[in-house]
Amino acid sequence: MAGKKFSSYHLAAALRREPDPAAALRLFLNPSTTSTAPFRYSLLCYDLIISKLAAARLFPAMESVLSRLASSPGLRPREQLLCCVISAYGRARLPAAARRAFAHPAFPEPRTARALNTLLHALLACRAPLRDLLMVCHETRIPPDAGTYNVLMRAAAASGSLDHVRHLFDEMLDRSIAPTVVTFGTLVTALCDAGRLEDAFEVKEVMVKRYNLTPNACMYVSLMKGLCGKGEVDAAVRLKEEMAGNAELVLDSAVYVTLLRAFFRAGRRGEVVGLLDEMKGRGVVADKVVHNALIAGFCEDERDPSAAFAVLDDMQKNVCKADTVTYDTLVAGLCKLGRWRDAAELVEDMPRRGCHPHVVTYRTLFDGMCAAGEFLEADQVLNEMVFKCFAPSKDGVRTFVQGIEKEGDVALLGSVLCRLAKVNALESSGWEKAVSGLLNDPTKMRLEKQLDSLRIA
């Protein structure tokens, strides 16, 4: 840059090239210029650095840059940047920050439905209830569009209120806002979840004939799940064939996962291989969800989990990394068969396989050992759980404590209570009963230290 003035154009180019958001921030704050005059930042420079910091969730730094932008005369950032900031807070599950960002003075008024819908999406991602979303719409007084109602209907569906979904749909029509494929898909999914399949198919027909809209893959999957849930697997297969006959639709793994699970539940395991061959023939990649569905099916269907382990091996060969769902399913299947030793070995081997066990993994193993009456082995798992600050399930604790009481191992019971207390894993009734048993035991003098520990905890 020798002999040339370093401009905002050069800074923007440097910011684009810099993959490290922290380094990009240093570039932004200290542009390479020999001039004594204040450096003039362009709107593009602000756009680039704020977007990078938002994506990296470096929110304090991002807010600092936004404050500079707000005090820069003549710079009016686009609403797209505001939406980027709001979405970042939504992904980080920070609803209050998302709402503050919506009103940030760095962005000029007025707000449009685009910004409103982005805020509603962010709040929905944070599991805000429908009433909060409706309140936002009321407070902003921004005229809603189809996207607004799509988010509100999704929130209503998430709350399990089909009546609210239908009310919002009717309100949308009353306002002469044309529903979209997403609108109909949300309504169909809510109807399927409520077991109203006939109504769901009627909505699909109205959508095609009256609004000239083609159902998308998500709608078909919802209908297929509804059919499979009622045991109408053949009807779901026919729906899949209807999809295949539409050149605009692409059959994805979600379609086949739905049918795979249904085949296993219906005891039609013999048709699984054919479905997998068809999936492969259509060029649909067997992803992690497909493999997990196969593992779950084989664990449920077989007395010998070798087929499930074969799927796990296939995942490794195809560079499809198994996740905690994969291993949790296998651990649960092994415990159900009473093969808790194999389950324990698998859990121990998980870190070597690149997947660390989490609280559900340990709870499944712990419950399996307790169900088998292997309380000493379960005690070792409890040790590891307490070390990692994981609490066992209430049912597992109940079975565990009752089992130790029946065996009459008072010393172990006192130790167990101490450890359960550390993770708040014992209900008050069980606590009182177990402590009462300790106090009434003839060896209670030897357990005074344990009881003191219980009182301290």
Side-chain angles (χ1 to χ4, degrees):
M1 300 307 299
K4 293 184 180 180
K5 182 179 178 182
F6 190 83
S7 66
S8 61
Y9 171 82
H10 297 114
L11 177 59
L15 290 173
R16 276 200 183 96
R17 291 192 301 268
E18 179 54 62
D20 181 3
L25 179 62
R26 290 192 294 271
L27 279 173
F28 178 85
L29 296 175
N30 301 288
S32 300
T33 175
T34 56
S35 172
T36 56
F39 185 83
R40 297 190 64 179
Y41 293 94
S42 68
L43 194 55
L44 178 59
C45 291
Y46 277 105
D47 196 307
L48 288 167
I49 189 60
I50 290 170
S51 298
K52 281 180 177 288
L53 295 173
R57 300 188 181 184
L58 297 176
F59 296 128
M62 182 192 75
E63 290 290 349
S64 176
V65 175
L66 280 171
S67 296
R68 292 179 62 144
L69 175 58
S71 62
S72 300
L75 294 182
R76 295 175 61 84
R78 298 172 299 165
E79 197 172 56
Q80 179 181 347
L81 182 60
L82 170 61
C83 293
C84 172
V85 172
I86 294 172
S87 296
Y89 279 128
R91 288 191 297 272
R93 304 296 186 265
L94 297 169
R99 295 189 67 163
R100 287 196 301 271
F102 180 81
H104 201 288
F107 299 95
E109 297 284 355
R111 303 286 187 261
T112 69
R114 180 182 183 181
L116 171 62
N117 297 345
T118 303
L119 176 59
L120 295 177
H121 270 291
L123 295 176
L124 183 59
C126 299
R127 298 183 179 179
L130 175 62
R131 64 175 180 274
D132 287 2
L133 273 60
L134 291 171
M135 183 62 69
V136 168
C137 293
H138 175 74
E139 291 171 351
T140 59
R141 299 185 180 278
I142 297 172
D145 61 7
T148 310
Y149 277 99
N150 290 343
V151 182
L152 293 175
M153 287 173 64
R154 281 178 54 202
S159 70
S161 176
L162 179 59
D163 288 340
H164 278 113
V165 176
R166 293 299 297 262
H167 172 75
L168 288 165
F169 182 77
D170 293 340
E171 181 182 299
M172 184 179 182
L173 298 181
D174 290 341
R175 291 191 174 193
S176 299
I177 299 174
T180 66
V181 175
V182 175
T183 312
F184 283 109
T186 303
L187 179 55
V188 165
T189 300
L191 288 167
C192 289
D193 289 343
R196 305 261 297 270
L197 278 180
E198 290 185 8
D199 291 340
F201 276 98
E202 184 179 335
V203 168
K204 173 177 173 281
E205 187 175 351
V206 168
M207 168 187 166
V208 174
K209 293 182 177 180
R210 188 183 302 175
Y211 291 89
N212 198 28
L213 293 172
T214 302
N216 59 15
C218 290
M219 182 182 291
Y220 272 107
V221 169
S222 293
L223 290 167
M224 289 170 63
K225 285 181 178 178
L227 290 168
C228 292
K230 288 184 174 291
E232 300 179 34
V233 182
D234 290 331
V237 172
R238 288 194 294 271
L239 209 55
K240 183 257 297 180
E241 294 303 321
E242 182 182 316
M243 281 188 72
N246 189 332
E248 297 180 12
L249 294 176
V250 177
L251 275 71
D252 58 10
S253 62
V255 173
Y256 287 98
V257 164
T258 301
L259 291 177
L260 283 170
R261 288 172 175 159
F263 282 160
F264 278 116
R265 282 197 299 268
R268 294 165 61 171
R269 181 195 161 192
E271 298 176 62
V272 167
V273 174
L275 191 64
L276 291 172
D277 289 341
E278 178 192 317
M279 186 177 77
K280 186 177 180 180
R282 293 185 187 275
V284 180
V285 177
D287 58 16
K288 192 183 301 181
V289 181
V290 172
H291 284 97
N292 286 346
L294 288 170
I295 287 173
F298 286 130
C299 283
E300 186 70 26
D301 185 58
E302 297 227 339
R303 300 302 300 171
D304 180 5
S306 57
F309 276 100
V311 176
L312 180 62
D313 293 338
D314 186 60
M315 291 180 76
Q316 294 173 327
K317 290 175 185 175
N318 294 326
V319 197
C320 180
K321 186 178 165 76
D323 59 10
T324 51
V325 175
T326 311
Y327 289 105
D328 290 350
T329 304
L330 274 168
V331 169
L334 289 167
C335 288
K336 187 176 180 181
L337 295 174
R339 296 175 56 170
W340 56 268
R341 286 189 180 85
D342 294 333
E345 289 178 6
L346 183 62
V347 172
E348 188 176 346
D349 198 40
M350 280 177 64
R352 185 186 65 81
R353 294 172 178 261
C355 184
H356 291 272
H358 63 161
V359 61
V360 176
T361 316
Y362 283 110
R363 282 180 177 177
T364 304
L365 180 60
F366 181 81
D367 290 355
M369 289 176 170
C370 290
E374 299 292 338
F375 300 113
L376 291 179
E377 297 292 340
D379 185 57
Q380 297 303 311
V381 176
L382 178 63
N383 273 341
E384 196 163 348
M385 292 183 74
V386 172
F387 178 77
K388 295 185 177 183
C389 297
F390 293 157
S393 67
K394 290 181 179 179
D395 289 341
V397 168
R398 195 175 298 114
T399 304
F400 186 46
V401 172
Q402 289 174 356
I404 296 172
E405 286 177 336
K406 287 180 181 178
E407 291 186 351
D409 193 336
V410 181
L412 177 58
L413 180 58
S415 171
V416 164
L417 292 174
C418 290
R419 282 172 284 151
L420 290 174
K422 291 180 180 178
V423 289
N424 296 317
L426 191 62
E427 296 174 331
S428 58
S429 58
W431 176 275
E432 292 167 0
K433 181 181 177 183
V435 170
S436 175
L438 284 175
L439 289 171
N440 292 329
D441 190 89
T443 61
K444 64 182 181 182
M445 294 300 293
R446 292 181 293 169
L447 299 174
E448 285 182 355
K449 290 184 178 180
Q450 290 176 317
L451 290 174
D452 287 340
S453 299
L454 284 173
R455 295 186 187 101
I456 292 171

